[in-house]
Amino acid sequence: MKVTRIAYSQNLNIGKYTQLAEQALRLGLVRSEVWQRYGSVNGAGLSDRKVRDQWMADGTAEMFGVLANAWKETVRDAVADITANRAAAKAAVRKAIHRRTSDQAEQKRMYTALKRDTWTEDPFLARQMRKHWKRGRNRTHNQIVVRSDQYRTFTLGEDGDVWLAVPGLQRRQLVRIPLTTTVAPSGTLRLILRGGQVEVHYQIDASAMPSSANPAGDREIGVDKGYTEVLTDSDGQHHGTELGELLTCESDYRKVKNARRAKIRSVAEKAREAGDHAKANRIVSNNLGTVKRYRRSSRWQQTVRTTTFRAVHAVVDKAALIAAEDLTKTFTARNKRGRNVNRRLAAWTKGVTAEALASVSERRGSALTLVNAAYTSQVVPCCDALGRRSGDRLHCTRCGVVWQADHAAAINVLHRVGDPDITPHTPYQRVRSIVQQRADRRADQTADPGLQLTLWAESETSNS
């Protein structure tokens, strides 16, 4: 398993940054050309090597003004992005194939054509791919992909910070970048230029990380995601309790900041309409920049990721098996919420939590099981019946016990592991019916001891 690490430049002079920015801009034109020519049906079944050979033969490669290795790696990266974009469309087409026919042989034929990119010859598949595969366009003009044998790293002293030397625009001309790390990057590098700083993205083997050596626990734990905290486990313990404050503060800050920027932008637009272009340009240049906003957003995102991963590590410390819901699914809320609530929930980092659960559990040897989470936060574990939710409290209408809703949800998630009736794909309407039937059956057994004894005897007879 690979994980991405980021090293940052420090005290990089403007001359070096300008050289790298110019190279990234030219490579952005390479990306745009790849997307323009092969970002639609023309790119089906086309490999990056065929593109490279064709461009070298027809002279297209000479128009970019960059070294051969630089534009070739960019072509490879852009073709991989197009392939990923096409794969997302294929997922929707597979569902259309399943709806169109139940003939196994016909389904297999279509699936094979889709996989081998020969779908252009089938009218139905071609129509579906055109419907779901929208032509993309390149918006990346600040990245440089450097192959593993095209750069070198060195230090100026023992145990000093690492310097990275990457190719420039001219042959045998290296741009040396001081980094804020003592660990040398390895493998293929992706240099991202933002606000006068260079980010060096690279991948390492997860087994080499110190946290991967920590053993997992030996228990089975259910977890439920939250807003005020990252996770609540089936023991009732809350992990990452500072998440809610991070999300709320950042959301409220952006609301005020964006409102002020909108007013300033309106002044600039009115000045431009009045013909005062100099004033409008000054406002845009000095008051509507994105450098500080990006830096703040980047720091906030890193804080959220750190909080999330620490919370998941705390769960794995005691869990050999983690039961959780599939956080990649989206659900349409039936309850209307206020504008501020919707804005704060829009910043909810479900994707980061899902990534952390999958990554940490795999690295540390803990099994992650995804279950159907329908109604888990509305069922009281004491009676296994639907309760009455009030804020973060869940009231049992049968025995009167009050549960913390996230704690109850984590217990119910754990109970869903191996449930033969409620699978991950069971519709939520069916889940509600199953929960209600089980609660009614349990209530009848409690009310009628004779019936309970009869059911127990039948169970013992069937087991024997």
Side-chain angles (χ1 to χ4, degrees), residues 297-335:
S297 177
S298 179
R299 289 194 300 268
W300 175 77
Q301 291 176 8
Q302 290 299 324
T303 304
V304 170
R305 288 184 63 87
T306 300
T307 301
T308 303
F309 272 80
R310 284 178 178 173
V312 174
H313 273 291
V315 173
V316 176
D317 283 341
K318 57 181 180 179
L321 182 145
I322 302 175
E325 67 173 290
D326 188 355
L327 297 177
T328 61
K329 292 185 178 180
T330 57
F331 302 93
T332 302
R334 292 178 295 176
N335 299 328

Side-chain angles (χ1 to χ4, degrees), residues 274-311:
D276 194 349
H277 296 284
K279 179 180 178 180
N281 292 337
R282 285 197 304 270
I283 293 176
V284 172
S285 176
N286 299 323
N287 302 98
L288 295 177
T290 59
V291 174
K292 291 183 179 179
R293 184 170 63 172
Y294 166 75
R295 287 178 180 173
R296 177 187 175 92
S297 177
S298 179
R299 289 194 300 268
W300 175 77
Q301 291 176 8
Q302 290 299 324
T303 304
V304 170
R305 288 184 63 87
T306 300
T307 301
T308 303
F309 272 80
R310 284 178 178 173

Side-chain angles (χ1 to χ4, degrees), residues 109-221:
R109 183 189 69 80
M110 291 187 179
Y111 289 149
T112 302
L114 203 63
K115 181 178 180 180
R116 296 178 178 176
D117 279 328
T118 57
W119 47 266
T120 55
E121 304 170 2
D122 187 288
F124 172 75
L125 294 180
R127 288 197 307 271
Q128 290 297 320
M129 284 297 294
R130 287 188 174 93
K131 175 181 178 181
H132 296 286
W133 185 21
K134 306 301 181 183
R135 170 183 282 275
R137 57 175 297 183
N138 173 56
R139 294 180 176 85
T140 302
H141 299 276
N142 65 336
Q143 295 188 14
I144 304 173
V145 180
V146 186
R147 207 171 62 193
S148 59
D149 60 343
Q150 295 297 311
Y151 65 88
R152 64 186 182 90
T153 59
F154 60 92
T155 58
L156 298 181
E158 187 176 356
D159 297 330
D161 289 337
V162 173
W163 285 65
L164 174 67
V166 298
L169 290 172
Q170 303 297 327
R171 191 176 301 276
R172 299 185 184 88
Q173 177 189 13
L174 297 178
V175 180
R176 294 167 178 82
I177 307 170
L179 303 179
T180 59
T181 179
T182 58
V183 180
S186 59
T188 300
L189 306 182
R190 183 184 301 273
L191 275 58
I192 301 179
L193 284 68
R194 293 193 180 103
Q197 189 180 45
V198 179
E199 301 176 5
V200 182
H201 295 240
Y202 61 100
Q203 290 188 329
I204 63 173
D205 192 350
S207 60
M209 299 177 62
S211 60
S212 299
N214 297 333
D218 56 359
R219 299 175 53 199
E220 295 183 357
I221 299 292

Side-chain angles (χ1 to χ4, degrees), residues 234-252:
S234 50
D235 293 337
Q237 185 176 358
H238 302 281
H239 305 276
T241 54
E242 61 270 34
L243 177 65
E245 184 177 357
L246 285 171
L247 298 180
T248 300
C249 291
E250 183 65 17
S251 178
D252 293 346

Side-chain angles (χ1 to χ4, degrees), residues 178-461:
L179 303 179
T180 59
T181 179
T182 58
V183 180
S186 59
T188 300
L189 306 182
R190 183 184 301 273
L191 275 58
I192 301 179
L193 284 68
R194 293 193 180 103
Q197 189 180 45
V198 179
E199 301 176 5
V200 182
H201 295 240
Y202 61 100
Q203 290 188 329
I204 63 173
D205 192 350
S207 60
M209 299 177 62
S211 60
S212 299
N214 297 333
D218 56 359
R219 299 175 53 199
E220 295 183 357
I221 299 292
V223 294
D224 178 67
K225 69 183 185 311
Y227 178 83
T228 56
E229 67 282 324
V230 178
L231 295 172
T232 301
D233 62 30
S234 50
D235 293 337
Q237 185 176 358
H238 302 281
H239 305 276
T241 54
E242 61 270 34
L243 177 65
E245 184 177 357
L246 285 171
L247 298 180
T248 300
C249 291
E250 183 65 17
S251 178
D252 293 346
Y253 168 83
R254 290 181 181 180
K255 175 187 176 182
V256 175
K257 192 68 174 179
N258 289 337
R260 293 174 179 173
R261 287 173 65 92
K263 291 182 179 180
I264 297 174
R265 187 180 294 108
S266 177
V267 173
E269 292 174 353
K270 290 180 180 179
R272 199 177 298 279
E273 292 174 359
D276 194 349
H277 296 284
K279 179 180 178 180
N281 292 337
R282 285 197 304 270
I283 293 176
V284 172
S285 176
N286 299 323
N287 302 98
L288 295 177
T290 59
V291 174
K292 291 183 179 179
R293 184 170 63 172
Y294 166 75
R295 287 178 180 173
R296 177 187 175 92
S297 177
S298 179
R299 289 194 300 268
W300 175 77
Q301 291 176 8
Q302 290 299 324
T303 304
V304 170
R305 288 184 63 87
T306 300
T307 301
T308 303
F309 272 80
R310 284 178 178 173
V312 174
H313 273 291
V315 173
V316 176
D317 283 341
K318 57 181 180 179
L321 182 145
I322 302 175
E325 67 173 290
D326 188 355
L327 297 177
T328 61
K329 292 185 178 180
T330 57
F331 302 93
T332 302
R334 292 178 295 176
N335 299 328
K336 294 184 178 180
R337 301 183 176 91
R339 185 177 301 175
N340 287 336
V341 175
N342 287 332
R343 174 172 42 80
R344 291 167 182 170
L345 291 178
W348 203 4
T349 53
K350 287 173 40 177
V352 178
T353 305
E355 176 191 353
L357 283 170
S359 174
V360 175
S361 60
E362 181 176 351
R363 288 194 282 114
R364 296 184 55 185
S366 179
L368 176 63
T369 302
L370 302 181
V371 302
N372 191 328
Y375 294 100
T376 51
S377 61
Q378 301 179 39
V379 175
V380 287
C382 53
C383 296
D384 291 332
L386 291 171
R388 186 177 70 255
R389 180 78 179 265
S390 176
D392 63 346
R393 298 297 177 185
L394 183 62
H395 301 258
C396 180
T397 57
R398 303 198 177 191
C399 65
V401 175
V402 179
W403 288 79
Q404 205 279 336
D406 294 337
H407 181 201
I411 295 175
N412 292 325
V413 165
L414 181 59
H415 290 169
R416 293 279 172 89
V417 176
D419 192 320
D421 300 322
I422 304 178
T423 67
H425 304 290
T426 304
Y428 72 92
Q429 301 93 335
R430 176 59 181 160
V431 173
R432 181 183 180 90
S433 176
I434 293 173
V435 170
Q436 192 65 50
Q437 291 174 6
R438 290 177 176 177
D440 294 341
R441 189 182 306 117
R442 179 171 179 175
D444 292 340
Q445 295 176 11
T446 305
D448 187 352
L451 177 60
Q452 184 177 4
L453 182 61
T454 301
L455 293 174
W456 175 83
E458 292 177 353
S459 175
E460 289 295 318
T461 302

